[in-house]
Amino acid sequence: MPRRKREGEPFETVSRERVLRAAVALVDERGIEALTMRDLAGRLGIEAASLYNHVSGKDDLLLGMADLVIAEIDLPSEGMGWREAMRRRAMSARQLFARHPWAAALIDTRMQAQPSGLAYADRVLGTLLRAGLSPAVAGNAFLVLDSYIYGYERQRSILAREDGGDSTDTAQEVADAIEPGAFPALMQVAAAYAEEPFDEDAGFAFGLDLLLDGIERLLPAGQPQKRP
Amino acid sequence: MPRRKREGEPFETVSRERVLRAAVALVDERGIEALTMRDLAGRLGIEAASLYNHVSGKDDLLLGMADLVIAEIDLPSEGMGWREAMRRRAMSARQLFARHPWAAALIDTRMQAQPSGLAYADRVLGTLLRAGLSPAVAGNAFLVLDSYIYGYERQRSILAREDGGDSTDTAQEVADAIEPGAFPALMQVAAAYAEEPFDEDAGFAFGLDLLLDGIERLLPAGQPQKRP
DNA sequence: ACCTGAACACCGTTCAAGT
DNA sequence: ACCTGAACACCGTTCAAGT
């Protein structure tokens, strides 16, 4: 039987790239737990078994998806100052997480030796080396920055809501759920955020700038970088 | 048929607590992907279906496991200075990850309104409030610190090895795998770490102290805290 | 080279039936 | 109240057979 063609879609031959893109679209729409080989195959108009012509298994699929979205993060260009470059890629990563809420969890367990991930690491490290850091210190700075960038997203997403409510609603729910007097400090903080919403961007920038300040102090003297 | 009693084990009635402890032991030994309801039940001498008398499902099981290991993290005591308290809990968390390598991934997706998680948040926030931070700032500091602590573990574990090799082996493998000239900065950093191993503890402390320094600067004047 | 159909060895979960 | 046995609706993956 010939492949079923889905209406409106121009015919395209199935390829690894197209499998990965379909998987990303599926997970964007229905969440990571809805990703099954059968459903993914259905989207491509083939059977589940046929996917194994393009990916070696589900693990390879997830690896490929992680690498595909890493390519969406803006990489530092050569002309940019290192601090501006690091800030930009952090913001670009956060925009990526807004488009693909599942990406942070996938990337930081599966950033392995895939093409885009290697390019990402090379460009970030290159920027830090050119700024004057030693290779070992550049590696440490990279690890520390990415720990914070991906870690913040994961912590933030615990507090985020699936419904349309904002952070004041979450805070109010927490405050309501605590029996009076049990967790006074938590209650006090929840009450504060129920009144004035938590600014996620400012909260992120606070920690990021602290780390960037510290990295800047490691630079050899005579290479001052102005802060924005 | 009566419950089969495993040899050497004293008879204990199955309870939620015992289910959770058995799950932690199973995952410690065989990894998170080896956790199935059937195998877990087998360890307890019961059938898989019986687990549903103690947990509402696999999701509840994972939630309970996360909460159980959170309880292992040392909490700040009242007498301690805030900075020492934050440093201690960070180190305690890292020791937890050494005992339970799967814990970081579980905790930072599942720290929800469970008893130990609430107590953890309350004690950390209480310490920061007593140090003089406003509730909103204390919440932000908590989020930033935990982003880094859990994020670092996840990044670190990507680079870690399952076999007995150390970080110089990983670095050498990366260096060998890159085709010459393709990723010069990455190659340079890998070469540096192949020669001198990456110090994970010092690398962690670097970022942590930067964040603590920044939080300290937010404190009202006249409450100086000495650095260790 | 790529796809299908059917199967295999698993999963989590439900539920009537037992004690 | 807690457990069993059996079933259900799924999974990822394999493989001979087709084109």
Side-chain angles (χ1 to χ4, degrees), chain B residues 12-33:
Chain B
E12 270 185 275
T13 175
V14 177
S15 63
R16 179 180 171 91
E17 161 116 15
R18 214 161 97 73
V19 167
L20 297 180
R21 294 208 179 282
V24 167
L26 194 161
V27 172
D28 280 346
E29 288 170 29
R30 302 182 27 219
I32 191 77
E33 72 288 347

Side-chain angles (χ1 to χ4, degrees), chain B residues 69-212:
Chain B
V69 295
I70 286 175
E72 293 185 30
I73 301 177
D74 281 344
L75 289 181
S77 61
E78 299 244 345
M80 222 178 290
W82 73 271
R83 186 171 183 125
E84 177 62 14
M86 291 301 118
R87 243 183 168 282
R88 277 212 200 182
R89 80 177 178 87
M91 297 312 167
S92 179
R94 277 172 57 71
Q95 285 162 21
L96 174 70
F97 303 148
R99 287 194 300 275
H100 310 298
W102 46 271
L106 207 56
I107 289 176
D108 72 356
T109 50
R110 281 164 207 279
M111 175 136 45
Q112 269 141 326
Q114 300 277 111
S116 296
L118 290 174
Y120 172 88
D122 186 63
R123 292 282 281 277
V124 171
L125 290 170
T127 303
L128 295 173
L129 291 175
R130 257 180 283 113
L133 294 179
S134 74
V137 171
N140 195 0
F142 180 35
L143 178 63
V144 163
L145 285 172
D146 277 33
S147 296
Y148 179 72
I149 294 168
Y150 292 95
Y152 188 89
E153 171 60 19
R154 295 178 67 84
Q155 295 284 326
R156 187 203 66 75
S157 67
I158 301 176
L159 304 172
R161 305 172 62 81
E162 276 109 45
D163 59 28
D166 68 0
S167 68
T168 60
D169 296 325
T170 308
Q172 190 60 57
E173 278 177 17
V174 172
D176 292 344
I178 300 172
E179 65 258 63
F183 301 112
L186 182 55
M187 177 67 97
Q188 205 177 331
V189 172
Y193 285 129
E195 202 155 314
E196 179 135 351
F198 175 64
D199 185 335
E200 293 184 351
D201 291 331
F204 176 73
F206 167 60
L208 181 65
D209 281 328
L210 293 178
L211 297 177
L212 293 175

Side-chain angles (χ1 to χ4, degrees), chain A residues 6 9 12 14-31 34-37 39-46 51 61 64-65 68 102:
Chain A
R6 304 222 332 194
E9 279 181 30
E12 269 185 273
V14 177
S15 63
R16 178 180 171 89
E17 161 117 16
R18 213 159 98 73
V19 168
L20 298 180
R21 293 207 181 283
V24 167
L26 194 162
V27 173
D28 281 346
E29 289 170 28
R30 302 185 25 221
L35 177 64
T36 69
M37 301 304 264
D39 282 4
L40 175 57
R43 286 203 163 216
L44 293 160
I46 58 177
L51 288 172
L61 174 66
M65 291 170 67
L68 198 67
W102 45 272

Side-chain angles (χ1 to χ4, degrees), chain A:
Chain A
M1 201 169 96
R3 288 239 321 282
R4 292 173 295 277
K5 186 173 157 230
R6 304 222 332 194
E7 357 229 321
E9 279 181 30
F11 176 82
E12 269 185 273
T13 175
V14 177
S15 63
R16 178 180 171 89
E17 161 117 16
R18 213 159 98 73
V19 168
L20 298 180
R21 293 207 181 283
V24 167
L26 194 162
V27 173
D28 281 346
E29 289 170 28
R30 302 185 25 221
I32 192 74
E33 74 287 345
L35 177 64
T36 69
M37 301 304 264
R38 282 169 173 85
D39 282 4
L40 175 57
R43 286 203 163 216
L44 293 160
I46 58 177
E47 298 299 314
S50 307
L51 288 172
Y52 292 81
N53 290 311
H54 303 102
V55 292
S56 71
K58 191 164 188 184
D59 228 63
D60 183 43
L61 174 66
L62 293 169
L63 219 73
M65 291 170 67
D67 203 59
L68 198 67
V69 295
I70 286 175
E72 293 184 31
I73 300 176
D74 281 344
L75 289 181
S77 61
E78 299 243 344
M80 224 177 288
W82 73 272
R83 187 171 182 126
E84 177 63 16
M86 291 302 117
R87 243 184 169 282
R88 276 212 199 182
R89 81 177 176 85
M91 297 311 168
S92 178
R94 277 173 56 72
Q95 286 162 20
L96 174 70
F97 303 148
R99 286 194 299 274
H100 309 298
W102 45 272
L106 206 57
I107 289 177
D108 72 359
T109 49
R110 282 165 206 277
M111 176 135 47
Q112 268 141 326
Q114 300 275 112
S116 296
L118 290 174
Y120 171 89
D122 186 63
R123 292 282 281 278
V124 171
L125 290 170
T127 302
L128 295 172
L129 291 175
R130 256 181 281 113
L133 294 179
S134 74
V137 172
N140 195 0
F142 181 35
L143 178 64
V144 163
L145 286 171
D146 277 32
S147 296
Y148 179 72
I149 294 169
Y150 292 96
Y152 188 88
E153 171 60 19
R154 295 178 65 84
Q155 296 284 327
R156 187 202 65 76
S157 66
I158 301 175
L159 305 173
R161 304 172 62 82
E162 276 108 42
D163 60 29
D166 68 1
S167 67
T168 60
D169 296 324
T170 308
Q172 189 61 57
E173 277 176 17
V174 172
D176 292 343
I178 301 172
E179 64 257 64
F183 302 112
L186 182 56
M187 176 67 97
Q188 204 178 333
V189 172
Y193 285 130
E195 202 156 315
E196 177 134 352
F198 176 63
D199 185 335
E200 293 184 352
D201 291 331
F204 177 73
F206 167 61
L208 181 65
D209 281 329
L210 293 179
L211 296 176
L212 293 175
D213 286 343
I215 292 167
E216 187 161 344
R217 270 179 249 125
L218 295 177
L219 291 175
Q223 299 199 22
Q225 299 266 346
K226 53 184 168 306
R227 293 191 54 178

